[in-house]
Amino acid sequence: MPRTKNHIVGAFEMRFGEAPACVVRAPGRVNLIGEHTDYNDGFVLPIAIDRAVWIALRPRPERQVDVFSLDYETGLRFDLDQLEKAGDGWGEYVKGVAWALQDAGHALSGWEGVVAGDVPRGAGLSSSAALTLAVARAFAATGGLPWHPTEMARLGQRVENEWIGVRCGIMDQMIVAHGRPGAALLIDCRTLAAETAPLPEATAVAVLDTGTRRGLVDSAYNERRRQCEEAARFFGVRALRDVDSTTFEKKSDALNETTRRRARHVVTENARTLAAAEALRAGDALAFGVLMNTSHASLRDDFEVSSRALDAIAEIARKHPACYGARMTGAGFGGCGVALVQARQASAFAETVTEGYRARTALEPQVYLCRPSRGVQLLKSDHGQPVVKTKADG
Ligand code: GLA
């Protein structure tokens, strides 16, 4: 069920008998192009979507956090002075953020609240980055910490890498922290500079959930990272970002075939992502769509992270006359595709793709039409309660 601010405020009031002191919202994301480039210091072009994780909360006097998940119907209580890992559920993201913030020298205060969201889980839409950044925002609000989006994105990546144990790049946390309404962000994953790139007029972004969930993704993801690192060593550079296509063509013959194809994907995908940002600046949806299609082929054939379901949904999407381009998105092996479509025809597109995919695969897809939305936010309560403020909230 879509979650909204009213829903989370209502749930808080039921539980605590008063309005929350504040509400935070952190969106999921979908990447339009620039896949498996972030950990190669390369370029990505994601949007934050209008599905999000919400937390309604109030400060607590003790150094304790007490939070109830409406989605999992379980609670979590822990002491900020006794952080211990326990399993791998949603609560680990909450504790992991507390750990990373304290480790970075921030003094935290306790809080209690409820959390819920409508970002599909395990679908490649970054529900975990959304949760991580929402929790960071909650701690920043109650602890009076300054809010620096890029610093918090780095911290969120550290939670994934070191507390959860997933070796992801920085794309998800950056777009969740920096998302802009109406626009994609071209992010340079080496410098973390981010530039807005508004979507062409009269277009819409459709997320195409294949209804399959990624298996084996961690081991395959880590293997791809190793192969990219090996290729960077071969070229004598810090990361594949530093290899252009001329150098690649000149030197890559001496690489083993698999590593060569992995590297070719990254080198060409970086070039495609920059060209795609250029196409957005020119308002050229047609050119953008062609780049999306080429990106999919490269992920399927060279990087080998697509799946039959992802190939099928992208193919079916492309056949619709309103579709400019379609590709898999996120880590791969299952989850979602993404398409750029004509806004006027977007509902018809969604219907046709749903039917076509269902008929071809006997799986149940979901097509979400998404508006690019704002990154993580601290929202005031509508109910007259004072809002805990930080300097950066203005
Ligand atoms: C996952 C990771 C990101 C990125 C993508 C692939 O979503 O979390 O850092 O590497 O895969 O582009």
Side-chain angles (χ1 to χ4, degrees), residues 36 39 224 228 262 265-266 298-299 301-305:
H36 288 275
Y39 54 82
R224 298 301 182 284
C228 291
R262 304 293 187 253
H265 165 71
V266 176
S298 177
L299 287 157
D301 303 333
D302 276 353
F303 218 63
E304 293 181 285
V305 291

Side-chain angles (χ1 to χ4, degrees), residues 207-228:
V207 170
L208 318 171
D209 190 338
T210 59
T212 60
R213 293 296 176 254
R214 30 186 220 201
L216 286 178
V217 72
D218 287 352
S219 56
Y221 187 90
N222 290 341
E223 187 189 29
R224 298 301 182 284
R225 284 193 70 146
R226 270 197 306 279
Q227 291 164 331
C228 291

Side-chain angles (χ1 to χ4, degrees), residues 13 27 82 209 216 241 274 333:
E13 286 173 346
Q82 277 164 20
D209 190 338
L216 286 178
R241 143 73 173 276
L274 292 175
F333 302 101

Side-chain angles (χ1 to χ4, degrees), residues 85-101:
K85 285 188 216 187
D88 54 7
W90 63 273
E92 288 311 300
Y93 291 90
V94 185
K95 281 192 265 165
V97 172
W99 162 76
L101 281 168

Side-chain angles (χ1 to χ4, degrees), residues 31-369:
N31 190 21
L32 301 182
I33 195 164
E35 216 66 81
H36 288 275
T37 44
D38 62 350
Y39 54 82
N40 290 295
D41 279 5
F43 300 94
V44 294
L45 194 63
I47 62 168
I49 59 176
D50 45 359
R51 287 173 167 254
V53 169
W54 298 82
I55 305 177
L57 65 135
R58 69 179 180 191
R60 267 176 86 109
E62 328 84 81
R63 285 177 49 76
Q64 271 192 352
V65 173
D66 191 344
V67 51
F68 185 81
S69 163
L70 301 178
D71 301 327
Y72 292 96
E73 295 184 344
T74 53
L76 166 79
R77 177 184 288 201
F78 64 90
D79 195 305
L80 286 167
D81 299 312
Q82 277 164 20
L83 294 173
E84 271 164 36
K85 285 188 216 187
D88 54 7
W90 63 273
E92 288 311 300
Y93 291 90
V94 185
K95 281 192 265 165
V97 172
W99 162 76
L101 281 168
Q102 295 193 129
D103 200 60
H106 295 295
L108 303 184
S109 330
W111 52 270
E112 58 197 354
V114 288
V115 56
D118 60 359
V119 185
R121 286 186 293 270
L125 299 177
S126 289
S127 56
S128 60
L131 175 60
T132 306
L133 270 296
V135 171
R137 196 71 197 84
F139 275 118
T142 50
L145 315 180
W147 183 258
H148 300 302
T150 300
E151 192 189 302
M152 289 299 167
R154 277 212 180 92
L155 188 128
Q157 186 194 18
R158 189 163 177 230
V159 173
E160 289 276 4
N161 293 171
E162 294 180 38
W163 189 271
I164 306 293
V166 174
R167 280 192 82 200
C168 63
I170 188 85
M171 163 170 74
D172 307 344
Q173 295 77 11
M174 276 296 285
I175 186 63
V176 172
H178 284 279
R180 294 277 183 280
L185 272 195
L186 174 67
I187 303 168
D188 178 334
C189 296
R190 173 168 283 168
T191 63
L192 299 190
E195 205 181 289
T196 47
L199 293 187
E201 259 176 47
T203 61
V205 172
V207 170
L208 318 171
D209 190 338
T210 59
T212 60
R213 293 296 176 254
R214 30 186 220 201
L216 286 178
V217 72
D218 287 352
S219 56
Y221 187 90
N222 290 341
E223 187 189 29
R224 298 301 182 284
R225 284 193 70 146
R226 270 197 306 279
Q227 291 164 331
C228 291
E229 284 157 14
E230 184 192 328
R233 273 196 303 278
F234 168 85
F235 285 105
V237 292
R238 182 167 139 202
L240 282 179
R241 143 73 173 276
D242 300 309
V243 180
D244 61 22
S245 41
T246 321
T247 314
F248 179 84
E249 289 307 332
K250 232 190 269 167
K251 294 199 181 157
S252 66
D253 280 352
L255 264 175
N256 79 61
E257 180 52 22
T258 306
T259 313
R260 198 178 81 86
R261 281 190 291 118
R262 304 293 187 253
R264 182 166 63 189
H265 165 71
V266 176
V267 171
T268 56
E269 185 77 351
N270 273 327
R272 275 188 292 274
T273 306
L274 292 175
E278 203 50 57
L280 289 189
R281 278 190 280 271
D284 190 343
L286 282 173
F288 192 89
V290 171
L291 292 160
M292 289 177 90
N293 295 343
T294 326
S295 165
H296 183 87
S298 177
L299 287 157
R300 182 191 58 210
D301 303 333
D302 276 353
F303 218 63
E304 293 181 285
V305 291
S306 189
S307 69
R308 283 170 67 175
L310 287 166
D311 292 345
I313 212 155
E315 256 169 51
I316 293 164
R318 271 179 224 134
K319 286 208 180 105
H320 195 280
C323 182
Y324 292 107
R327 56 182 287 276
M328 56 151 279
T329 186
F333 302 101
C336 291
V338 61
L340 186 72
V341 301
Q342 286 167 8
R344 254 180 345 113
Q345 307 271 353
S347 304
F349 167 85
E351 247 171 66
T352 311
V353 172
T354 303
E355 280 162 22
Y357 179 81
R358 203 185 273 147
R360 167 132 43 129
T361 62
L363 291 163
E364 192 53 34
Q366 298 282 335
V367 178
Y368 313 109
L369 299 171

